[in-house]
């Protein structure tokens, strides 16, 4: 039986003893080809479109026999299948956790996640939105009182929020890199783009990091995260956190290279059973095919549209569909006047021009709604979101900036005005409404979507519905043919 010896540090594992056939297999299995990097500017579906790209990421350096440390578990399994005897040794000194008394308010599933991280030092914790991932991570960090810790987040707003949570839990100063700051402490929160800049500039503090937490790690399937994690050679514990550790572009392997494989899962039902979140009530309202209604021929082969054609179709069928937009207004009006409404309403759109159209149309019907998107002035957006959180504003129209990292515990209704195609995005959006508030007075979480009648967006609607059934259960999904029927379903979900 051949022997493969693996020597690894926090970023790289070196393999020795491989024959050519095994190297060929590793090269094939550890190469990622992404053919779906399609993106348009959020601000407009007509002004700027980025081209379709295909790019390849090779995660096995065949010349030096190196792999990212996060792929060790996968590679060891493969080598054992190929009948290798595998010997593993770390080149870093052992970092031992200490026993600490955890606070009584931590839930059983949070404690189970922490224990899994202590026994599996590299891996992803899959925990639903609203389950307390940040507090779980803070409690995990408390087991390493003398270690240097980096907590990586994708966005500035999440960095500030996370820093506050860690500061309150750990009772010590927490550094911040990003959001205009460059302050390193024993425990530091960093925005990924700022950290990549630091890595490229050979920031000495990165070499001290022994514990690395990657929040919203579904973003880690990219070159920037790979650059960062490859600079952390002394890391011994690397934990990814996400409600949705999957990618729509086939780059899960890159995410695994940064964080490791999924080592702990708790499901929405488990968290809902103890009252920490509500399961969603998902209602689709049918929208007639605009092509049929206006006696226009629908595109015959919508399965092979390029991005420009999709955006043109989106503009016609979704953003500038007067009947569909009017349906959004009617739904919002009915929810605002619902006597049993306990929380507030968030209308979500994909493109800023659509959001502006919706706000104008709501205003024409004497409904005031602030508009928040990625280009909204920061001070205005912050004030609006805080007012919305505190129920001083009953309604807000928002963009994809609400996918991750914003706690809206009083949010009771989401209205999908757009037509998202991404499972991950759909999951993250729904996660905004699942949280319960601190007084547990919010007893329902309702998602209103539209079942589009045309071929292309009809398939998207069906996919979103199937996602809800697969992710939660079929009892969560409903079809309402009128607003009164929608309200009847909504009322039936009051606890």
């Amino acid at each position: 039986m051949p022997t493969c010896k693996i020597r690894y540090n926090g970023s790289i594992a070196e393999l020795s003893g491989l024959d050519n056939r095994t190297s060929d297999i590793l090269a094939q299995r550890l190469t990622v080809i992404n053919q779906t990097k399609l993106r348009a500017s959020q601000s407009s579906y007509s002004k700027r479109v980025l081209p379709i790209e295909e790019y390849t990421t090779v995660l096995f350096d065949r010349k030096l026999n190196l792999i990212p440390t996060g792929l060790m578990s996968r590679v060891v399994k493969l080598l054992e299948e190929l009948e290798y005897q595998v010997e593993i040794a770390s080149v870093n000194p052992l970092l031992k956790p200490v026993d600490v008394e955890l606070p009584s308010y931590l839930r059983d599933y949070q404690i189970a996640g922490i224990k899994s991280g202590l026994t599996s030092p590299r891996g992803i914790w899959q925990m639903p939105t609203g389950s307390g991932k940040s507090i779980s991570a803070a409690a995990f960090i408390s087991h390493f009182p003398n270690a240097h810790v980096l907590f990586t987040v994708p966005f500035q707003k999440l960095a500030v929020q996370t820093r506050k949570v860690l500061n309150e839990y750990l009772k010590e100063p927490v550094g911040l890199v990003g959001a205009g700051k460059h302050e390193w402490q024993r425990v530091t929160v960093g925005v990924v783009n700022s950290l990549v800049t630091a890595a490229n500039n050979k920031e000495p503090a990165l070499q001290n990091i022994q514990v690395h937490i990657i929040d919203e790690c579904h973003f880690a399937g990219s070159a920037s995260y790979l650059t960062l994690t490859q600079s952390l050679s002394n890391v011994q514990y690397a934990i990814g956190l996400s409600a949705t550790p999957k990618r729509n572009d086939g780059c899960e392997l890159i995410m695994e290279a940064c964080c490791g494989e999924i080592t702990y899962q708790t499901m929405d039902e488990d968290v809902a059973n103890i009252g920490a979140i509500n399961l969603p009530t998902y209602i689709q309202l049918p929208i007639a095919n605009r092509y049929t209604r206006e006696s226009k021929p629908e595109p015959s082969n919508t399965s092979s549209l390029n991005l420009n054609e999709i955006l043109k179709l989106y503009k016609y069928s979704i953003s500038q569909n007067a009947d569909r937009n009017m349906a959004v207004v009617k739904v919002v009006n009915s929810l605002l006047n619902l006597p049993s409404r306990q929380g507030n309403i968030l209308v979500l759109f994909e493109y800023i021009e659509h959001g502006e159209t919706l706000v104008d149309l709501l205003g024409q019907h004497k409904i005031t709604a602030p508009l928040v998107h990625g280009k909204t002035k920061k001070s205005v957006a912050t004030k609006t979101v805080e007012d919305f959180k505190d129920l001083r504003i009953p309604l807000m129209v928002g963009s994809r900036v609400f996918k991750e990292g914003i706690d809206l515990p009083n949010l009771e209704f989401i209205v999908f005005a757009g037509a998202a195609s991404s499972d991950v995005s759909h999951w993250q959006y729904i996660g905004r409404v699942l949280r319960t508030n601190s007084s547990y007075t919010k007893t329902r979480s309702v998602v209103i979507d539209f079942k589009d009648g045309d071929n292309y967006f009809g398939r998207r609607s069906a996919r979103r519905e199937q996602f809800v059934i697969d992710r939660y259960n079929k009892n969560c999904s409903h079809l309402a043919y009128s607003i009164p029927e929608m309200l009847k379903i909504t009322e039936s979900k009051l606890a």
Side-chain angles (χ1 to χ4, degrees):
M1 177 180 290
T3 298
C4 176
K5 294 182 179 181
I6 301 178
R7 296 176 74 255
Y8 70 95
N9 61 21
S11 58
I12 291 292
E14 181 182 19
L15 288 65
S16 61
L18 302 179
D19 60 27
N20 288 334
R21 174 176 171 271
T22 304
S23 294
D24 289 341
I25 294 172
L26 284 175
Q28 181 183 22
R29 301 278 184 93
L30 302 183
T31 296
V32 179
I33 299 176
N34 179 1
Q35 296 178 304
T36 57
K37 193 178 182 182
L38 309 179
R39 188 165 69 88
S41 167
Q42 182 192 354
S43 63
S44 172
Y45 31 63
S46 58
K47 294 177 182 175
R48 184 171 72 93
V49 177
L50 299 182
I52 298 172
E53 296 181 18
E54 175 176 304
Y55 63 94
T56 300
T57 303
V58 179
L59 298 171
F60 174 53
D61 184 332
R62 184 161 183 168
K63 184 177 180 180
L64 299 177
N65 286 332
L66 301 178
I67 61 169
T69 303
L71 295 177
M72 269 180 50
S73 179
R74 174 183 293 267
V75 169
V76 167
K77 291 175 186 175
L78 175 59
L79 292 173
E80 290 175 345
E81 289 175 7
L82 296 173
E83 299 185 344
Y84 274 82
Q85 180 178 331
V86 181
E87 298 177 1
I88 303 173
S90 173
V91 300
N92 291 335
L94 181 63
L95 176 64
K96 292 184 178 180
V98 301
D99 291 331
V100 296
E101 184 176 351
L102 297 175
S104 59
Y105 59 76
L106 287 180
R107 302 177 178 110
D108 288 345
Y109 66 81
Q110 291 174 305
I111 295 173
I114 293 164
K115 289 181 177 178
S116 77
L118 296 175
T119 56
S120 301
R122 192 173 293 265
I124 294 172
W125 301 355
Q126 181 176 355
M127 301 173 68
T129 299
S131 61
K133 293 188 291 294
S134 296
I135 288 293
S136 299
F140 176 78
I141 291 169
S142 70
H143 286 273
F144 303 94
N146 299 311
H148 286 81
V149 180
L150 178 62
F151 199 117
T152 299
V153 298
F155 311 119
Q156 290 187 13
K157 64 178 183 292
L158 191 54
V160 175
Q161 179 178 304
T162 302
R163 186 191 196 189
K164 181 179 179 182
V165 170
L166 296 181
N167 189 282
E168 291 175 352
Y169 188 97
L170 298 172
K171 309 298 184 188
E172 65 176 279
V174 175
L176 179 62
V177 176
K181 303 286 186 180
H182 193 83
E183 304 168 355
W184 290 91
Q185 297 283 352
R186 184 188 76 84
V187 178
T188 300
V189 177
V191 182
V192 64
N193 289 342
S194 298
L195 292 172
V196 170
T197 299
N200 290 332
N201 291 334
K202 310 296 182 184
E203 168 63 55
L206 292 174
Q207 292 305 307
N208 297 326
I209 302 301
Q210 297 163 287
V211 178
H212 188 202
I213 309 293
I214 303 179
D215 198 11
E216 306 292 358
C217 69
H218 48 278
F219 283 101
S222 66
S224 58
Y225 278 88
L226 199 57
T227 297
L228 173 62
T229 55
Q230 293 298 283
S231 71
L232 303 175
S233 60
N234 286 311
V235 163
Q236 295 190 47
Y237 287 81
I239 304 297
L241 307 173
S242 178
T244 55
K246 61 179 292 187
R247 304 272 302 187
N248 289 309
D249 57 6
C251 290
E252 283 90 352
L253 195 62
I254 301 175
M255 178 175 66
E256 186 179 325
C258 296
C259 311
E261 59 189 8
I262 296 174
T263 54
Y264 177 72
Q265 288 178 296
T266 185
M267 305 311 292
D268 298 77
E269 291 82 357
D270 301 326
V271 182
N273 286 339
I274 61 172
I277 64 171
N278 297 323
L279 291 180
T281 298
Y282 181 78
I283 305 171
Q284 280 195 332
L285 286 164
I287 295 292
N289 188 328
R290 185 178 178 185
Y291 288 96
T292 301
R293 191 172 62 251
E294 297 182 358
S295 301
K296 293 183 178 181
E298 189 171 357
S300 57
N301 185 14
T302 55
S303 61
S304 60
L305 296 175
N306 63 38
L307 182 57
N308 289 291
E309 291 168 334
I310 291 171
L311 294 175
K312 183 178 179 181
L313 190 63
Y314 193 99
K315 187 175 180 180
Y316 179 80
S317 296
I318 308 297
S319 303
Q320 295 185 2
N321 185 339
D323 288 346
R324 196 180 192 281
N325 289 335
M326 192 62 223
V328 173
V329 172
K330 290 179 179 178
V331 166
V332 168
N333 186 57
S334 68
L335 295 178
L336 284 170
N337 292 291
L338 188 65
S340 65
R341 181 171 62 84
Q342 304 158 321
N344 40 27
I345 305 160
L346 175 62
V347 178
L348 289 168
F349 60 87
E350 292 290 306
Y351 297 98
I352 291 174
E353 291 176 10
H354 190 200
E356 292 170 341
T357 298
L358 291 169
V359 169
D360 288 345
L361 189 58
L362 287 164
Q364 292 171 27
H365 291 80
K366 303 188 184 326
I367 300 172
T368 301
L371 177 66
V372 177
H373 51 73
K375 294 190 175 182
T376 302
K377 188 176 179 181
K378 185 177 179 180
S379 59
V380 173
T382 300
K383 176 67 164 57
T384 303
V385 172
E386 288 303 315
D387 287 346
F388 189 72
K389 284 183 179 181
D390 295 336
L391 288 175
R392 291 189 290 271
I393 296 174
L395 169 68
M396 183 165 59
V397 178
S399 72
R400 62 186 74 169
V401 299
F402 287 93
K403 278 197 302 183
E404 296 100 357
I406 298 180
D407 292 340
L408 302 171
N410 290 312
L411 179 61
E412 188 176 8
F413 298 95
I414 281 181
V415 180
F416 280 127
S421 61
S422 163
D423 290 350
V424 174
S425 294
H426 196 49
W427 198 346
Q428 291 287 341
Y429 283 137
I430 290 175
R432 298 309 100 205
V433 79
L434 300 185
R435 297 176 187 269
T436 54
N437 53 21
S438 57
S439 59
Y440 291 92
T441 56
K442 190 184 88 174
T443 57
R444 66 184 168 190
S445 297
V446 181
V447 179
I448 310 297
D449 198 359
F450 294 94
K451 192 177 184 69
D452 293 294
D454 63 302
N455 288 336
Y456 184 81
F457 292 106
R459 289 197 297 271
R460 282 195 182 186
S461 300
R463 181 173 174 175
R464 294 196 300 273
E465 179 188 19
Q466 189 60 49
F467 162 79
V468 170
I469 292 171
D470 293 342
R471 176 68 186 125
Y472 304 102
N473 59 65
K474 64 181 180 180
N475 296 325
C476 290
S477 182
H478 307 269
L479 186 64
Y481 288 94
S482 65
I483 288 179
E485 188 177 351
M486 176 200 79
L487 294 177
K488 183 177 179 181
I489 296 170
T490 297
E491 292 290 80
S492 71
K493 296 304 175 180
L494 274 176

